[in-house]
């Protein structure tokens, strides 16, 4: 995501809809949005209703969960966050964004889609969502902030005969 205006609009949606578990500073958000090479933004008219930020392996990004992935996997895409406006939730937007991201990641040759979901502070709906779309838990991790997250993976490799 490289358009500054789009990043600012996504930041505003993030602040209103993301909740405590996805808390991040404005500069941290800009860093992640700028590093994101597989992003999705859904709009309705001029309003951004949802977005997802995903980062391919091999980036120089100072982000604890992304670095955790880099030390364990080679060919992955890390889904950093997916946020849907509260008025548009449970409408299939997040699932559609995830499907699109998986298709893009697979097309670039990635084998895994990785993400984290907070346990402390709790993000129960996040856990339910990622499990409902085929992610499996890998490991619980305590971040330097003392937050606890569960790392998840989903295979996106295409088997060839």
């Amino acid at each position: 995501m490289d358009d500054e205006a789009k990043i600012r609009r996504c930041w505003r949606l993030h602040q209103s809809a993301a909740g405590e578990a996805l808390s991040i500073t404005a500069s941290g958000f800009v860093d992640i949005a700028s590093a994101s090479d597989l992003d999705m933004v859904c709009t309705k008219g001029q309003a951004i209703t949802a977005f997802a930020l995903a980062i391919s392996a091999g980036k120089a990004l100072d982000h604890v969960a992304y670095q955790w992935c880099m030390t364990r996997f080679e060919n992955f895409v890390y889904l950093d966050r997916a946020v849907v406006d509260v008025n548009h939730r449970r409408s299939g937007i997040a699932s559609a964004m995830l499907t699109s991201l998986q298709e893009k990641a697979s097309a670039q040759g990635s084998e895994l889609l990785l993400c984290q979901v907070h346990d402390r502070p709790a993000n129960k709906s996040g856990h339910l969502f990622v499990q409902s779309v085929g992610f499996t838990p890998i490991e619980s991790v305590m971040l330097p902030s003392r937050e606890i997250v569960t790392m998840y993976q989903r295979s996106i490799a295409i088997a060839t005969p």
Side-chain angles (χ1 to χ4, degrees):
M1 181 179 296
D2 53 12
D3 177 34
E4 287 182 40
K6 183 168 60 170
I7 290 173
R8 281 193 305 273
R9 291 170 61 209
C10 287
W11 170 247
R12 285 194 296 272
L13 173 59
H14 183 277
Q15 289 302 94
S16 68
E20 180 186 9
L22 288 177
S23 148
I24 189 171
T25 64
S27 62
F29 183 85
V30 169
D31 289 346
I32 291 169
S34 298
S36 175
D37 55 338
L38 292 171
D39 55 67
M40 294 292 307
V41 177
C42 300
T43 60
K44 186 172 186 178
Q46 293 297 314
I48 292 178
T49 57
F51 70 89
L53 302 176
I55 306 158
S56 300
K59 302 276 183 170
L61 182 63
D62 185 21
H63 182 289
V64 174
Y66 180 77
Q67 290 300 320
W68 183 94
C69 297
M70 287 287 295
T71 62
R72 289 160 178 81
F73 303 99
E74 291 181 20
N75 195 4
F76 67 89
V77 169
Y78 173 71
L79 174 61
D80 183 75
R81 60 196 61 235
V83 176
V84 178
D85 180 272
V86 295
N87 297 317
H88 294 89
R89 291 186 179 160
R90 305 199 58 79
S91 65
I93 292 174
S95 296
M97 283 193 309
L98 182 62
T99 298
S100 181
L101 285 172
Q102 286 178 193
E103 289 169 358
K104 288 179 178 183
S106 182
Q108 76 178 25
S110 296
E111 297 172 352
L112 286 173
L113 188 57
L114 304 168
C115 69
Q116 71 174 15
V117 179
H118 278 79
D119 297 315
R120 188 176 71 198
N123 184 356
K124 292 179 185 176
S125 61
H127 285 286
L128 291 172
F129 173 71
V130 298
Q131 291 173 9
S132 75
V133 294
F135 281 84
T136 56
I138 306 170
E139 178 180 341
S140 287
V141 176
M142 181 178 284
L143 304 176
S145 62
R146 311 273 306 151
E147 297 170 312
I148 298 174
V149 298
T150 297
M151 302 302 295
Y152 283 92
Q153 70 179 354
R154 179 176 178 178
S155 175
I156 54 174
I158 297 175
T160 56

